[in-house]
Amino acid sequence: IKTVFSGMQPTSGVTLGNYLGAMRNFVKLQHQAKCFFCVVDLHALTVPKDPAELRKNTLDMARIYVAAGIDPNVATIFAQSHVSAHAEMGWLMEVSCYYGELQRMTQFKDKSAKNEVVTTGLFTYPALMAADILLYDTTHVPVGDDQKQHLELTRDIAIRLNNRFGRELVVVPEPYIPPREAGGRIMSLQDPTQKMSKSDPDESATIHMLDTPDVIRKKIKRAVTDSESEVRYDPEKKPGVSNLMVILSLCTGMSLDEIAGRYTGYGQFKKDVAEAVVTTLEPIQQRYRELCEPGVIEEILEKGAAEAEAVSTPVLRRVQDALGLLPRT
Ligand code: ATP
Ligand code: MG
């Protein structure tokens, strides 16, 4: 692992799924590789957003990165729109990607069915995501399981460009996705056959990283399970219980087997899940509050943008040049 890039959309209410599926790995990887963690505000615009809210959520997303344990002196934290190479490379990726490829993206099918307004950007978003990743000569991309298909597309575009030019014009990145039992796909508390999602309008389906302990306890108490009473890992037959087991396991370090052997009913099990989540999130929430002091996160983003720009501009020029764009003299 040499270079890591990943991003999260500044939609309000970062979830426990975002944390367990992706952000936890960001924290781990920062000490193993050069890391770029982006707040992908351009992606957030694919679904219409209130401007003031988007600005606030962008700052908050960056605060949560730092609060979760990403050290801005070790990894680069920045806002996507601060580095114009992303938008420029995004276009170059759109013209390197086929309409049919984008049509096959299941996230577009899901999101376009759910949203009233379907923007062109929602459709072409995977090309911008490819740009984000390829701009840093990224070797590994830590994401949740739902991003597998988009990452596969990034790889296809990269391989196609390299074949066309007969050299390693761009680095073909590898996915870094935890298996399901290690958090790759945390499920909704209300419909455990669906992934937990920031944009889920059902509040009780999602644990947000900034939820208060009481809210967390209430949501887990009401989480959908099944009519049995056996705590057993079986994502097919017992999706609700299995999901809570994964959450408990990741928040405490206990294995799924240990957890299964420990409970005879759901009451105490759910209580323990709730306490484990509260204990995991409390220190992050404390640090988040400290980072709300004016100017602190702004400075981190400023430094991050300069670092990101320095690395991505030469890569953008390399691709522009290969595709035949005339350099300015
Ligand atoms: P939205 O519904 O708005 O797309 P999201 O919850 O999917 O929100 P993103 O910003 O799109 O959030 O994704 C951020 C990261 O979190 C990605 O790496 C994604 O794969 C990961 N992720 C999202 N949901 C889950 C989940 N339920 N379990 C594990 N990882 C997840
Ligand atoms: Mg998503």
Side-chain angles (χ1 to χ4, degrees):
I1 301 183
K2 220 176 115 211
T3 310
V4 165
F5 177 96
S6 196
M8 288 201 185
Q9 295 192 42
T11 322
S12 77
V14 189
T15 73
L16 187 66
N18 300 141
Y19 179 65
L20 296 177
M23 213 183 295
R24 244 170 19 112
N25 280 332
F26 298 1
V27 177
K28 191 177 89 184
L29 287 166
Q30 65 182 330
H31 302 295
Q32 300 173 26
K34 179 74 199 131
C35 287
F36 297 88
F37 300 121
C38 188
V39 181
V40 287
D41 51 356
L42 297 176
H43 288 295
L45 287 174
T46 54
V47 176
K49 293 272 158 27
D50 175 72
E53 220 167 281
L54 177 59
R55 270 187 286 271
K56 180 191 176 293
N57 289 337
T58 300
L59 293 171
D60 262 355
M61 189 69 241
R63 288 184 184 111
I64 290 172
Y65 277 164
V66 180
I70 299 169
D71 181 346
N73 294 312
V74 173
T76 297
I77 297 174
F78 70 105
Q80 188 184 26
S81 65
H82 287 180
V83 180
S84 58
H86 286 257
E88 294 181 61
M89 183 79 152
W91 178 254
L92 301 183
M93 294 303 108
E94 276 187 42
V95 298
S96 305
C97 169
Y98 303 132
Y99 183 73
E101 288 178 307
L102 292 174
Q103 265 183 323
R104 282 194 292 275
M105 296 294 119
T106 57
Q107 179 175 297
F108 175 74
K109 290 180 199 166
D110 288 352
K111 288 200 174 182
S112 59
K114 274 183 210 153
N115 287 303
E116 265 171 49
V117 179
V118 180
T119 65
T120 312
L122 188 67
F123 183 67
T124 58
Y125 143 103
L128 181 57
M129 175 168 159
D132 300 337
I133 295 166
L134 299 182
L135 271 177
Y136 296 87
D137 286 340
T138 302
T139 61
H140 291 79
V141 187
V143 283
D145 173 87
D146 62 304
Q147 290 298 329
K148 212 181 242 170
Q149 198 187 25
H150 291 158
L151 215 55
E152 204 45 55
L153 177 65
T154 300
R155 287 171 53 83
D156 289 345
I157 296 174
I159 292 167
R160 184 179 307 141
L161 284 169
N162 289 348
N163 284 342
R164 177 174 169 202
F165 295 105
R167 64 187 158 104
E168 196 186 30
L169 177 65
V170 289
V171 174
V172 182
E174 297 289 334
Y176 189 96
I177 301 175
R180 238 171 116 146
E181 61 278 11
R185 193 175 185 83
I186 299 295
M187 310 309 276
S188 152
L189 299 182
Q190 289 302 312
D191 178 359
T193 63
Q194 297 291 317
K195 88 165 184 87
M196 186 181 281
S197 202
K198 270 196 249 120
S199 49
D200 193 329
D202 181 358
E203 263 298 308
S204 54
T206 306
I207 294 176
H208 302 292
M209 286 182 75
L210 299 178
D211 278 348
T212 63
D214 276 347
V215 168
I216 293 171
R217 289 186 188 106
K218 242 177 250 156
K219 286 180 177 175
I220 290 178
K221 196 169 175 192
R222 288 173 45 203
V224 169
T225 48
D226 51 54
S227 54
E228 303 176 2
S229 61
E230 195 190 354
V231 176
R232 169 167 59 86
Y233 187 72
D234 184 344
E236 289 296 308
K237 295 204 184 83
K238 296 170 77 69
V241 169
S242 301
N243 188 41
L244 293 176
M245 286 178 76
V246 168
I247 292 174
L248 181 59
S249 164
L250 293 173
C251 290
T252 59
M254 268 194 288
S255 72
L256 294 172
D257 278 348
E258 266 175 273
I259 294 171
R262 228 178 150 106
Y263 299 99
T264 49
Y266 296 161
Q268 188 61 44
F269 169 57
K270 280 185 162 184
K271 273 189 193 140
D272 289 357
V273 176
E275 290 321 305
V277 172
V278 168
T279 309
T280 302
L281 294 182
E282 253 178 349
I284 297 176
Q285 297 179 351
Q286 176 61 37
R287 283 195 294 273
Y288 164 82
R289 285 190 289 270
E290 292 161 16
L291 288 159
C292 287
E293 201 182 305
V296 176
I297 201 67
E298 287 85 346
E299 198 174 308
I300 289 171
L301 286 175
E302 193 53 45
K303 177 173 103 75
E307 290 169 7
E309 194 157 49
V311 176
S312 58
T313 305
V315 181
L316 174 67
R317 296 285 173 260
R318 196 205 292 156
V319 176
Q320 286 174 326
D321 181 63
L323 290 178
L325 300 178
L326 186 68
R328 274 176 72 171
T329 49

